[in-house]
Amino acid sequence: MTTVLVVDDQPLQRYGFRVLLESIPETDVVGEAAHGAEAVRRTAELRPDVVLMDVRMPGMDGIEATRKITAAGGRSRVLVLTTFDLDEYVHAALRAGASGFLLKDARPEELLAGIRAVAVGDAVIAPALTRRILDEYAQHVPAGRSGPSEDPRLGSLTDREREILVAIGKGWTNGEIAARFVVSESTVKTHVGRVLAKIGARDRIQAVIFAYDLGLVGPGAG
């Protein structure tokens, strides 16, 4: 059973999500919140597996709420719902520690699959959306970021693990990585897990940020 907290300032939107999620036996909506501050409070109280987080809300928005929830170090993971094309906060949400992004016009099955994936620790972004987010994020990378050789965490990676990290940073799927390096997807999954553990990343999204910050991928990368 995956427990979910639904956060949205629109009552009808919350109702729609609740009806959808409660129609599936393996999901349980344990609560709702209408703004960011309430989301932070209810997450601490209810400790849901997944917080389904709207971005634009009055008062504390979804970005700040995500930041506070992830900083608390609890078990709850945040799945952000965004209109993306209109939403200038995508790079900030990456920084805030969100475990995934879905568009608000996603099909019901995509939303349900996303919630399940986030609940077990995966990052949820479709490959095409990943690359669009990376393009958005790249515009906000500080000009004076440190070089790859300056971070000691890179030294713990094998050559293949470093190649895997670069591939993750480019938004490649496990299937694409497997095809590129002529290995099985299960082998890629093992490598990805080791990379995340060694660099201290919760999920692939944090690994993307790590790769961008160190100049492994993005503008100016070798």
Side-chain angles (χ1 to χ4, degrees):
M1 180 68 70
T2 299
T3 55
V4 181
L5 175 68
V6 176
V7 183
D8 198 291
D9 64 331
Q10 299 295 323
L12 282 177
Q13 191 85 278
R14 296 197 304 273
Y15 176 76
F17 288 135
R18 177 180 283 276
V19 169
L20 171 64
L21 297 177
E22 290 185 344
S23 70
I24 306 300
E26 63 265 29
T27 59
D28 179 25
V29 177
V30 294
E32 299 179 11
H35 52 76
E38 186 179 14
V40 174
R41 183 173 66 253
R42 301 227 69 192
T43 299
E45 293 171 357
L46 301 171
R47 300 181 64 207
D49 297 313
V50 178
V51 179
L52 196 60
M53 183 73 75
D54 187 22
V55 173
R56 293 179 172 176
M57 297 179 288
M60 182 188 295
D61 66 16
I63 303 302
E64 183 60 23
T66 297
R67 184 176 296 109
K68 290 181 178 296
I69 288 170
T70 57
R75 61 191 293 271
S76 301
R77 291 177 176 267
V78 179
L79 176 57
V80 171
L81 291 176
T82 175
T83 52
F84 191 79
D85 288 331
L86 302 176
D87 191 347
E88 67 273 25
Y89 302 123
V90 174
H91 71 286
L94 285 171
R95 287 284 187 192
S99 291
F101 295 88
L102 287 178
L103 301 178
K104 278 199 170 182
D105 61 358
R107 297 189 301 273
E109 60 269 26
E110 292 175 330
L111 175 61
L112 294 169
I115 289 172
R116 287 193 294 267
V118 167
V120 298
D122 289 336
V124 179
I125 306 178
L129 184 55
T130 299
R131 293 183 176 106
R132 291 173 65 185
I133 287 175
L134 296 185
D135 288 342
E136 172 74 11
Y137 179 72
Q139 298 175 27
H140 301 273
V141 175
R145 63 185 177 182
S146 58
S149 62
E150 297 177 37
D151 194 296
R153 287 173 291 181
L154 281 180
S156 67
L157 301 180
T158 64
D159 289 343
R160 174 48 56 89
E161 288 167 351
R162 181 161 171 158
E163 291 174 334
I164 297 293
L165 174 58
V166 171
I168 293 172
K170 291 178 178 178
W172 292 6
T173 65
N174 283 356
E176 290 170 331
I177 296 173
R180 171 65 177 81
F181 296 116
V182 196
V183 295
S184 68
E185 286 195 41
S186 61
T187 297
V188 172
K189 189 172 182 180
T190 298
H191 281 311
V192 169
R194 288 174 178 166
V195 169
L196 297 184
K198 287 183 178 182
I199 67 175
R202 277 168 52 111
D203 51 42
R204 292 172 82 108
I205 293 177
Q206 287 195 334
V208 167
I209 295 173
F210 182 79
Y212 261 78
D213 282 347
L214 295 185
L216 296 175
V217 294

